[in-house]
Each structure stands twice: as C-alpha cells, then as structure tokens.
Amino acid sequence: STRKLSLFVKLTNNSGGSLQLPIRLYLPTTGVTVLIPAGTPANTVVALNPDSSEAGGGRVWFTGGTGTLANKASTVLDTLLFTLQSPASQVRFSFVATANTSGGGGNPPSLPNTIATVPDDSTHTIVEPGDPRFIDYRTIAYVQFQRSATPSQIAALLAKYSAQVVGGDVFSNTYVIMYADPGPTWAAVMSRMAQLKAEPGVLGATPAPRQLGVRRIETRYPNDGPTMRRNDWIAGISDTLWALKAIRAPQAWGCETGTDGGPRPKVGVIEWAFDSTNQDIRPSIDVPVFFPNGYSGTAVVDSAVSFFRYHGTAVAGAISAAGDNAYGVAGSTWRTALRLYALDATPTVLLAPMLPLSQILRQAAADQIRVLSISSNFAINGSTPPGTASLRFSHWGGPAA
C-alpha cells in the first residue's frame, strides 16, 4: 500500500542580513531515514512535487516566493509532497536550505584574499580515460557564463548545485566552483558537466585540471574613474587601457598590486610641481614634497604652472595611482613608497638648473630611491649665459591621475 505525505515548510531568516529569494531546499540522497520499520530503505519515499528537480541524486525545491527576505522575517508557507511506499510508516527528512545575500551583479563575486583550500586526494580527483598523466578534480569545475547571463541565472546555478566559489576570472566571466562529489567515474563527471552546460546562461563547463591547481584569479581589472571602469576593460575604449593592456598590467596585478603586504618599492618622481593632495597618489606618498634650497614652491596660477602641476601629478599617477578605488586611473603599481621632488612651482625655465637638480639627486640617493623618473630635458638656450643649460619641460601625453 502507499500513503501520501504533506510536509509544510516555513523558513525564518536568521542570517543577520537580507536574503535573495527563492531559497533552495535540498534533500540529499542520505537525507531520508525510515524510522519505522527500522532499516527500511529510504528509496521507499518518493517526492511528488512537480516543481522539484534532481541534483546529485537528491531533490531540489525553490521555495519562499520572490524578492528579498529581511532578517528575522519568514517565508510564505509552502508544501512538499511525498509518497510513502509500504512498509514505511514514520520517516525523518534532513534538508539543507541555502540562499544568496540580496543584490549582486552578473560577474563573479569578489574572490577571497587567499587561495581556497581544496581537497587534493583520490576521493576528489579522477584520471582522464586513456592518459594517466591527466588528472582532474571531479568536485571542481570551470563554468563560463555568457555575457548576457543575468544575476538570477548565476545565483540559481550556484544554489542548485550548492556550489562554493573558490576562484574565477572577471574578464572571461568564469567561476571556479566546488560542489558535492558527482561520483567516482569519468561518466559521472561528464554527466555533471553536461548538467552545468545545460543551465541557462552557461557558455561552457569543464573539470578543473589538478595540475594547474585552483588559482583565485588570473587577471585583475580594476574599477576606477570614467573610461576606466571594469566594463571599459572589455570594450577597450580608452588609450590608457590600451597602453596598460600592452604592458600586460592586468596579468601583473593578478599576482601583485603593491597592496598585498611586504615592503613597498621606493619610487621617486622629479617634476616642476605636483598636486600632492590628489586622492589617487596620496596613499603612496610618505613625506611632504621636497623642494631644493632657495626655491619656495609658491604656486602661481597661470596656464603654464597649471599644466606643469597636471603633468607632474599624471606622471606620479602613471607609476603609483591607487587602483580599484572608483577614481582616476590605476597606476602600474597601486601602492609604493612614493617621494615627489619638485624643481619649482613657479618658473618655466631655470638658469643653471644643475644646482637644484643636484640637490634633488643627492636627496633621492639619501632616500634610497630605487626607481627615479624625470620627464624634462636639457637644452642650450642662446639667451642664457654661455655654456649654461636651461632645464625645460618635456611634454608627456599621459592622463592625469
């Protein structure tokens, strides 16, 4: 004989924040225990809900409605239907409820600051058929989403497979996800890949090769000011972005930005003037701007001095503008021990320029500067005393920080 069972479900949010609905309710294959008669196989219990689906051998329901669920709020009442096949009469169900925090975008979420710890033994890896040199994770996959994939599609896939994000690449819209073991055979792994590929918004899925390990990110595309947003990196609309791509800055930033700890490189910039209050370079500046003795650095507001200040700030920014701060540009290194050496804020030509320049060079040596930039040239000016070089500004076409 068979009997129908109605199980009423109402969930309360105790996460401390709001959750995105619906909530994924998962009943794993080990989640059903027949109490009476003891020892009766759990497969005598059959789920009936037409909106449930299979995942990893278990059953999945999306419950709670749509929208968001505030902290301490409860979902609407839902009903789960089952058939109890004889001889089962009393059953215990063990569900797993998961939900995403509300909001989110279409790109991979922020990745952890450390490489994820992933299982690395024979219970989580598998040898590819025909070639024992190639070993893959059977619990970890690369899942690449289409650019048109919506946030809800991405969230639904992660919830459906109870997936944990352990890495990813923003530029290619790829998640590295870890999930429950699909089984110890190659066929089981390929079946899981087929399931992932069939999900809405997915471009492709493949097992993660064990030889490559699981890296948190391969490239880093910061979010800065206008024309340097993350979407601009993909469109490539900025000359500055083109230049940074040409020197493979995103790949370098994927390894180190200068903000990950350790001693900062000592970098110096020699220019006419700077805006040392600029919020893009200010985090890197250690000490006040250095002026040679006898030069006051008094700001003169005219077109020439304004341009010099712009240029000095731009050069300092190209070297060490803070990246991923929603402002300005991203420097080659996002954080340095930056020292600024100003020839002067006032004159456009210095007679006998070696005097202030020699003071700056001695100071830079005392500061133990490892990289020193100067964007000026020396030229003989007929109006100056014979044999005297005048130091003139040499234009540099980069952006301001």
Side-chain angles (χ1 to χ4, degrees), residues 46-175:
V46 180
L48 296 179
N49 290 61
D51 60 347
S52 68
S53 60
E54 292 185 351
R59 302 292 297 187
V60 175
W61 294 264
F62 289 94
T63 186
T66 60
T68 59
L69 183 66
N71 187 43
K72 301 301 181 181
S74 299
T75 63
V76 297
L77 190 66
D78 204 352
T79 304
L80 307 184
L81 302 175
F82 301 88
T83 292
L84 300 184
Q85 298 176 347
S86 181
S89 61
Q90 291 187 22
V91 180
R92 176 186 293 126
F93 296 93
S94 300
F95 296 93
V96 178
T98 57
N100 294 324
T101 56
S102 62
N107 285 328
S110 298
L111 301 177
N113 291 326
T114 58
I115 297 176
T117 301
V118 298
D120 192 23
D121 55 59
S122 60
T123 63
H124 291 275
T125 57
I126 190 166
V127 177
E128 292 190 13
D131 196 335
R133 295 176 301 173
F134 294 98
I135 303 175
D136 296 329
Y137 288 105
R138 67 178 192 246
T139 57
I140 303 173
Y142 296 158
V143 180
Q144 184 178 11
F145 286 92
Q146 301 167 358
R147 285 294 167 193
S148 59
T150 65
S152 60
Q153 287 175 332
I154 297 174
L157 181 143
L158 296 174
K160 181 176 180 178
Y161 295 94
S162 296
Q164 174 190 356
V165 178
V166 295
D169 177 46
V170 174
F171 185 63
S172 62
N173 212 21
T174 298
Y175 282 64

Side-chain angles (χ1 to χ4, degrees), residues 100-352:
N100 294 324
T101 56
S102 62
N107 285 328
S110 298
L111 301 177
N113 291 326
T114 58
I115 297 176
T117 301
V118 298
D120 192 23
D121 55 59
S122 60
T123 63
H124 291 275
T125 57
I126 190 166
V127 177
E128 292 190 13
D131 196 335
R133 295 176 301 173
F134 294 98
I135 303 175
D136 296 329
Y137 288 105
R138 67 178 192 246
T139 57
I140 303 173
Y142 296 158
V143 180
Q144 184 178 11
F145 286 92
Q146 301 167 358
R147 285 294 167 193
S148 59
T150 65
S152 60
Q153 287 175 332
I154 297 174
L157 181 143
L158 296 174
K160 181 176 180 178
Y161 295 94
S162 296
Q164 174 190 356
V165 178
V166 295
D169 177 46
V170 174
F171 185 63
S172 62
N173 212 21
T174 298
Y175 282 64
V176 184
I177 63 173
M178 182 164 60
Y179 41 76
D181 187 2
T185 66
W186 183 251
V189 174
M190 289 297 98
S191 176
R192 175 56 52 85
M193 295 306 107
Q195 291 173 348
L196 292 171
K197 291 176 183 178
E199 295 294 339
V202 173
L203 187 62
T206 184
R210 177 180 175 274
Q211 286 88 340
L212 296 181
V214 177
R215 293 177 289 179
R216 59 174 173 149
I217 196 164
E218 295 179 357
T219 53
R220 181 175 284 149
Y221 294 91
N223 189 54
D224 289 279
T227 76
M228 292 200 70
R229 310 291 188 192
R230 287 200 175 96
N231 287 339
D232 297 328
W233 284 97
I234 300 170
I237 63 175
S238 165
D239 290 340
T240 303
L241 294 184
W242 179 88
L244 289 169
K245 286 183 179 180
I247 65 171
R248 299 185 179 180
Q251 286 86 340
W253 293 333
C255 299
E256 173 66 77
T257 64
T259 61
D260 296 334
R264 291 181 282 153
K266 294 184 177 182
V267 177
V269 180
I270 303 175
E271 280 285 344
W272 286 98
F274 305 91
D275 177 8
S276 59
T277 65
N278 182 281
Q279 70 182 64
D280 239 7
I281 63 174
R282 181 63 226 171
S284 288
I285 300 175
D286 291 53
V287 297
V289 177
F290 175 83
F291 289 96
N293 292 334
Y295 296 87
S296 65
T298 302
V300 176
V301 182
D302 59 31
S303 59
V305 172
S306 297
F307 180 75
F308 293 159
R309 189 179 298 108
Y310 158 85
H311 184 274
T313 307
V315 172
I319 295 172
S320 191
D324 206 22
N325 65 343
Y327 178 84
V329 300
S332 298
T333 303
W334 297 358
R335 191 76 184 271
T336 65
L338 182 63
R339 302 292 176 93
L340 303 179
Y341 304 96
L343 285 162
D344 198 43
T346 306
T348 58
V349 175
L350 287 178
L351 301 181

